[in-house]
Amino acid sequence: MMRIAFLVAPEGVEQVELTDPWQAVTDTGDTPRLVSTKPGSVQAFHHLDKADTFPVDQVVGDASVEEYGGLVLPGGVANPDFLRMDEKAVAFVRAFFDAGKPVASICHGPWTLVEADVLRGRTLTSWPSLRTDIRNAGGTWVDEQVKVCEATPATLITSRRPDDLKAFCTAFTEEFARAAKA
C-alpha cells in the first residue's frame, strides 16, 4: 500500500477531477492524501459553480516527496493557476520528477507542470487551451484520451477532460502500481 498525494489549491479544483481519481486510488487499496497550499479545507467547483469542500490532510510546505508513491494533479481552471503561483507547490511537483516518481494530471492540471519546468522532451495531453503553453515549455501536445509518457526520470500520465476520467484513472493506477513494484 502506498500513499498518493493529490495536490490542489484552496479553491478552484474541478470536483469530479478530484473525487473520481481519489476513489480510483482508494479502490486499489492505496491511500490518497489531500495536499494544499493552506490548511483547513479546499473549495471544489462544478465548472464555475461552488461544489463541496474537502479537508486538507497536509500543507505542501510540510510535505515531502519521500512520503508518497505518486502525485495526482486534478484540473479546474483556477486550481492550477493558483498552484503555479506558489513556489512550494511548484517545488513539490518538480521533486516528484527529480525522484522518478509517477505523476498524473488531467485537464488544466498541466499548467503547474509548465511552471515546474518538467515538460521538455515529453509528450502529453490536456485541455486544448493549454496546447501553446505546453509547446512553449518544450513539450509535445497531442489530442488523445490518455497519454502515458515514459520519458525519464518519471512517468507522466495525462488526460484532456472529465469525459476521459475512466480511462485516466485506469491508466494512472496501473502505472502507479507498476512503479511501486519497480
Side-chain angles (χ1 to χ4, degrees):
M1 179 166 61
M2 70 179 154
R3 294 168 70 181
I4 304 299
F6 280 72
L7 179 61
V8 299
E11 187 171 33
V13 66
E14 184 69 30
Q15 182 162 316
V16 71
E17 293 174 10
L18 172 62
T19 57
D20 281 16
W22 186 279
Q23 186 61 52
V25 167
T26 301
D27 290 347
T28 66
D30 291 330
T31 304
R33 302 257 305 156
L34 192 60
V35 180
S36 189
T37 57
K38 294 182 182 174
S41 62
V42 299
Q43 175 66 62
F45 280 74
H46 291 297
H47 303 290
L48 300 176
D49 298 322
K50 284 186 177 181
D52 297 324
T53 60
F54 298 89
V56 172
D57 294 311
Q58 189 173 32
V59 175
V60 72
D62 298 332
S64 169
V65 69
E66 290 79 23
E67 299 174 65
Y68 297 100
L71 172 66
V72 177
L73 296 169
V77 178
N79 175 53
D81 198 40
F82 287 134
L83 288 176
R84 66 185 179 162
M85 297 302 293
D86 186 286
E87 291 178 19
K88 290 178 182 175
V90 172
F92 187 65
V93 170
R94 191 177 305 114
F96 275 86
F97 286 87
D98 292 344
K101 294 188 177 185
V103 175
S105 184
I106 188 167
C107 204
H108 288 81
W111 260 341
T112 309
L113 301 173
V114 168
E115 192 65 32
D117 195 23
V118 294
L119 296 182
R120 288 185 206 319
R122 293 186 173 277
T123 302
L124 64 152
T125 193
S126 68
W127 186 255
S129 66
L130 277 66
R131 176 178 43 236
T132 300
D133 296 326
I134 289 167
R135 288 179 181 150
N136 288 342
T140 300
W141 187 86
V142 294
D143 184 12
E144 296 178 15
Q145 185 179 40
V146 175
K147 181 63 184 172
V148 177
C149 180
E150 295 178 332
T152 58
T155 299
L156 175 62
I157 306 97
T158 54
S159 281
R160 303 168 298 188
R161 60 181 56 98
D163 290 346
D164 299 336
L165 275 164
K166 184 174 180 170
F168 175 68
C169 291
T170 298
F172 90 76
T173 55
E174 287 175 0
E175 287 297 321
F176 283 19
R178 189 171 64 83
K181 291 177 184 173

